[in-house]
Amino acid sequence: MKNRKATIRAVFGSNAGSAGAHNRRVIIDAIRVNKALSRAELARATKLTKQTVSNIIDELEQDGLVMPLKTIREGRGKPAKPYTLASNGAFAIGLQIDRDVARLIVVNLTGDIMIRHSVKLDSVNPEEGFETLVDLINAARAELEQMCCGASGRTAGLGVAMPGPFGKLAAMANEANGANDDAYSMAVWQRFPLVERLKERTGLDVSLQNDAAAATIAEKLMGNADSFRNVVCFYFGFGLGAGLIINGELYTGVDGNAGEIGLLKPVISSAETESLEHMASLASLCHAMGWNPSDDNLFAHITTALEENNFVMERWLEQAASYLRWAAQGMNLMFAPEATILCATAPKPLIDRLVCMINEDMRKMINPSGAPFMMAGTADQWAVAIGAASEPISNSFSPRHSALVKS
């Protein structure tokens, strides 16, 4: 149980008669953030009337979304009954589609991971790869139903994350990476009607975002971005992207393409013609080292090369760090964030080393005694899928304006 005297964090509700749906979300979010709150605490934190809070709590309890905890006594007042989220009140599925693998996560309402699976994916044949995805989703839903009877009817939706860019910007990606180079942009998958087909085959609400945005949400949920309202998160995976959190909300831009920095062509020297993600990404590291990106032992190879101070690895690190620093400086000048974080689908020692090199360069250039320029974030191959799973939960239960517009 939390300290009952701690400051309660909550979004304000509205006592106007037409704000019922928003107020439900406000109550759910306040309980989620603070873990457990009594009706009186909810009323004080959200500025809603006690009667409004009581009505909503009764509805949420009837719907199986909240549950009471043991009654506690606060001073000389009446005993208080805290309410917490019912973990099995709702579920969501997160699906990451990457170049050679698909990763699936099922989470419950409180963010606990119930199921996780990964399968090899055909990255050049979306029709065949789509059937692999449907089988993976169906198997996970059947497993969830065995774990929790009736879970199918409480599944908020399916969040999908894959490499961008989407829409019109995809043509620019193809040009930047070469017309025949599908490794970065997964162009054939971009042209595949993935969302529509998944809705048809699963019957779920399906949302799509790029992998950098999903990784940023995961960093907000379980990483170093949780205490900041304005953050730039660089996502270092097979390609390279960035996610922007502005005033506490993920900024997605047109077609969800905000943060597609991998397409930039840095002018660090006059000879540079490659895009940024060709110089600073897992794909570029694999190319430099002669590794197969789909090798199951890739992370072990990277860790070993770091430990042995491999010459090729060291040379690549210097290159990647300089390009990432260049990109981070640009993003900092444009957005002036509270924090800049590097998160990844990569081994943590690699991310720690890159961040250390970037911060050392910045200290030499700007302020030898200043705070670190960049923070090392989550290095977890499941982070993108976790971020994708958070979208259906957020869309159904978050009080943020963008979620209300979607609904």
Side-chain angles (χ1 to χ4, degrees):
M1 178 65 66
K2 71 179 182 71
N3 180 359
R4 307 306 296 178
K5 295 184 179 180
T7 300
I8 298 173
R9 294 182 292 164
V11 175
F12 291 172
S14 171
N15 289 299
S18 60
H22 174 67
N23 289 339
R24 278 175 60 99
R25 291 168 180 261
V26 165
I27 294 297
I28 290 173
D29 188 65
I31 295 174
R32 178 191 64 81
V33 170
N34 298 281
K35 307 305 181 187
L37 293 173
S38 68
R39 299 184 189 218
E41 288 174 321
L42 283 164
R44 288 195 296 269
T46 63
K47 308 302 182 184
L48 292 170
T49 67
K50 293 182 179 180
Q51 186 60 55
T52 297
V53 169
S54 290
N55 291 342
I56 293 173
I57 286 293
D58 289 342
E59 292 174 6
L60 294 176
E61 187 173 7
Q62 185 175 355
D63 292 342
L65 294 173
V66 303
M67 53 187 249
L69 297 177
K70 184 179 179 180
T71 299
I72 60 174
R73 183 174 293 279
E74 297 179 324
R76 297 180 180 179
K78 293 181 179 180
K81 182 185 293 184
Y83 286 82
T84 189
L85 293 184
S87 59
N88 290 340
F91 303 91
I93 303 172
L95 177 66
Q96 178 194 11
I97 301 173
D98 213 344
R99 276 76 183 184
D100 297 296
V101 64
R103 300 183 180 94
L104 179 144
I105 289 274
V106 178
V107 299
N108 62 18
L109 183 57
T110 52
D112 303 314
I113 296 174
M114 309 290 292
I115 297 168
R116 68 172 80 196
H117 293 301
S118 65
V119 294
K120 291 290 185 180
L121 186 68
D122 190 330
S123 61
V124 298
N125 185 344
E127 196 65 54
E128 183 174 327
F130 175 75
E131 294 302 325
T132 300
L133 297 178
V134 172
D135 290 344
L136 180 65
I137 295 166
N138 288 341
R141 295 178 76 180
E143 184 177 348
L144 179 63
E145 189 64 27
Q146 287 186 336
M147 296 171 64
C148 183
C149 183
S152 296
R154 300 195 298 277
T155 300
L158 168 64
V160 181
M162 64 180 291
F166 307 127
K168 295 179 181 179
L169 197 58
M172 184 184 296
N174 293 336
E175 180 180 352
N177 290 322
N180 297 319
D181 184 2
D182 185 51
Y184 289 89
S185 62
M186 296 184 72
V188 293
W189 277 88
Q190 296 286 352
R191 295 189 291 269
F192 186 77
L194 180 65
V195 172
E196 293 78 7
R197 292 281 298 274
L198 283 173
K199 287 181 179 178
E200 179 184 345
R201 291 289 293 273
T202 67
L204 295 170
D205 289 332
V206 182
S207 58
L208 176 66
Q209 59 186 326
N210 68 44
D211 49 7
T216 299
I217 290 299
E219 191 67 35
K220 182 72 173 172
L221 290 173
M222 62 182 189
N224 288 327
D226 65 333
S227 58
F228 302 108
R229 288 186 58 78
N230 297 282
V231 186
V232 172
C233 283
F234 284 83
Y235 171 61
F236 182 96
F238 191 92
L240 182 71
L244 307 173
I245 296 176
I246 300 176
N247 291 328
E249 291 197 25
L250 180 72
Y251 175 74
T252 57
V254 178
D255 293 330
N257 286 321
E260 284 291 350
I261 60 167
L263 302 182
L264 293 174
K265 293 189 175 183
V267 186
I268 293 179
S269 73
S270 59
E272 299 298 347
T273 57
E274 295 278 13
S275 57
L276 186 61
E277 63 184 6
H278 281 75
M279 272 79 77
S281 64
L282 276 182
S284 69
L285 174 58
C286 290
H287 178 75
M289 299 295 294
W291 292 331
N292 181 353
S294 62
D295 188 339
D296 291 337
N297 297 314
L298 177 60
F299 281 25
H301 295 328
I302 293 172
T303 302
T304 299
L306 286 169
E307 292 172 348
E308 295 176 349
N309 297 316
N310 179 279
F311 172 75
V312 178
M313 170 66 85
E314 293 298 316
R315 187 173 59 184
W316 176 87
L317 281 167
E318 291 180 5
Q319 167 191 282
S322 67
Y323 286 115
L324 286 169
R325 175 179 53 76
W326 173 83
Q329 284 179 284
M331 297 291 276
N332 270 258
L333 288 171
M334 285 186 285
F335 296 102
E338 298 168 78
T340 302
I341 300 173
L342 181 63
C343 55
T345 300
K348 190 169 187 347
L350 177 64
I351 299 308
D352 289 342
R353 183 74 181 281
L354 284 169
V355 169
C356 181
M357 294 174 72
I358 291 168
N359 285 334
E360 183 62 28
D361 284 347
M362 292 301 294
R363 276 192 290 268
K364 292 177 182 177
M365 294 170 57
I366 299 177
N367 186 358
S369 61
F373 172 72
M374 179 178 283
M375 301 170 62
T378 303
D380 186 342
Q381 64 179 342
W382 296 98
V384 172
I386 292 170
S390 75
E391 175 62 16
I393 293 288
S394 179
N395 194 42
S396 297
F397 303 111
S398 170
R400 60 190 170 94
H401 174 72
S402 55
L404 290 171
V405 172
K406 289 179 185 178
S407 64

